[in-house]
Amino acid sequence: MDKVKTGIKGMDSLLDGGIPKGRIILLSGSSGTGKTIFVSHFIKEGVKNDENCVYVTLEQSKDKLIEDLKNIGIDFDDMQKKNKLKLIGGPVAHINFFKQKTKATFEDLTKEMEEIIKQSSASRFVLDSTNLFTMLFDDDVERRKALANLVAMLDKVKCTSILTCEVKENSNAISWHGFEEFVVDGVIVLHRIPFENMFERAVSVLKMRGVGHSQKVGLVTITKDGMEVYPDRQPYKAVYGNHNT
């Protein structure tokens, strides 16, 4: 199976070479674990390989995202100018206003994203985040349908995709609503682990349909150069439970 590189040093070792091409991955983690940085590396790697990419942000304004990422050497503005990246979205309140004004359904929003992917000839897609995407809908039934509809569309267009998902702090849950992990092909979890008077970051691959992957919990660092994974250096404290690793 063809693999897609994440662009994060050390991460592809845990993935046995990378993310399976055309698959949809859920990237989970609590606030501050590095989800946006992870998916930004994923986009940067695609552009480096002359792929077209689409990034949908609901977390913050596009200008703020561009400014923040420049601090770790990822230049979304330059990627847009070269027509390699289509950056769309903005704070979810703006999207919700549009949805209410136009009476748009989840099918309409998914169709809009599909058209952007096709027009861009994109092979990589990011949605940041599924939490805010599902907030656009009124109940869990509609949220499930919306997410399933989105995943079905991404599968149809064969776009290798990462959907971020924030989870509650100090929770062993891997999604917010409890159904997100069942509609995707793989799940990667970013952890923030308390150890004495500090936190350590770590990453693990919980699920990857059809391919093998490491069962290790790898140490993660984030510096001015971005994210790096150390697959052979586990954090001092286990992710689950109180025993040492």
Side-chain angles (χ1 to χ4, degrees):
M1 183 178 290
D2 291 339
K3 298 290 185 71
V4 170
K5 302 294 185 184
T6 62
I8 300 169
K9 187 176 180 181
M11 185 64 215
D12 294 332
S13 175
L14 292 179
L15 291 164
D16 196 24
I19 296 170
K21 189 175 182 178
R23 297 298 177 90
I24 299 100
I25 307 302
L26 189 73
L27 178 68
S28 296
S30 59
S31 178
T33 51
K35 296 183 295 296
T36 298
I37 294 174
F38 188 110
V39 292
S40 300
H41 276 291
F42 173 71
I43 294 295
K44 181 182 177 181
E45 180 70 12
V47 172
K48 187 183 83 172
N49 295 326
D50 200 33
E51 298 178 56
N52 295 336
C53 306
V54 171
Y55 190 116
V56 178
T57 174
L58 302 177
E59 295 279 358
Q60 55 186 318
S61 71
K62 293 184 287 185
D63 289 343
K64 184 68 165 59
L65 177 64
I66 290 168
E67 180 184 344
D68 288 347
L69 293 176
K70 281 184 178 178
N71 292 325
I72 57 168
I74 298 178
D75 194 342
F76 271 11
D77 193 33
D78 183 62
M79 296 178 201
Q80 288 190 104
K81 289 175 181 175
K82 292 176 178 176
N83 293 318
K84 302 306 296 180
L85 170 65
K86 185 69 175 177
L87 181 60
I88 59 175
V92 71
H94 297 171
I95 308 298
N96 193 50
F97 175 77
F98 168 79
K99 175 178 174 284
Q100 298 298 330
K101 184 177 180 180
T102 62
K103 307 299 182 184
T105 65
F106 63 77
E107 288 98 340
D108 296 323
L109 296 175
T110 301
K111 188 65 178 175
E112 180 74 16
M113 284 188 265
E114 181 179 2
E115 289 175 1
I116 291 168
I117 290 170
K118 287 180 175 179
Q119 289 168 5
S120 305
S121 299
S123 57
R124 295 190 185 215
F125 174 85
V126 163
L127 172 64
D128 190 13
S129 68
T130 58
N131 303 66
L132 295 177
F133 176 70
T134 55
M135 274 177 57
L136 295 169
F137 308 102
D138 297 328
D139 54 53
D140 277 351
V141 172
E142 194 173 35
R143 293 184 187 108
R144 284 174 184 262
K145 288 180 179 178
L147 190 59
N149 190 260
L150 173 64
V151 168
M153 179 275 289
L154 293 170
D155 186 56
K156 182 179 71 173
V157 298
K158 305 301 180 187
C159 204
T160 308
S161 306
I162 301 181
L163 318 177
T164 72
C165 181
E166 185 156 327
V167 296
K168 296 179 178 69
E169 192 76 33
N170 300 319
S171 168
N172 288 338
I174 58 175
S175 65
W176 188 266
H177 296 291
F179 57 74
E180 295 93 326
E181 64 266 37
F182 298 108
V183 298
V184 294
D185 299 305
V187 178
I188 299 171
V189 179
L190 292 170
H191 312 273
R192 205 162 64 99
I193 308 165
F195 177 72
E196 296 181 348
N197 65 340
M198 60 178 287
F199 282 96
E200 286 192 314
R201 291 186 173 95
V203 63
S204 59
V205 182
L206 266 60
K207 164 185 169 181
M208 201 62 61
R209 286 177 185 158
V211 294
H213 60 83
S214 174
Q215 300 296 320
K216 293 179 180 179
V217 177
L219 188 68
V220 171
T221 62
I222 298 176
T223 68
K224 62 180 179 61
D225 298 316
M227 180 177 285
E228 184 169 350
V229 173
Y230 299 86
D232 296 318
R233 288 174 53 191
Q234 292 189 339
Y236 293 115
K237 190 173 181 180
V239 175
Y240 302 114
N242 294 317
H243 58 284
N244 293 327
T245 56

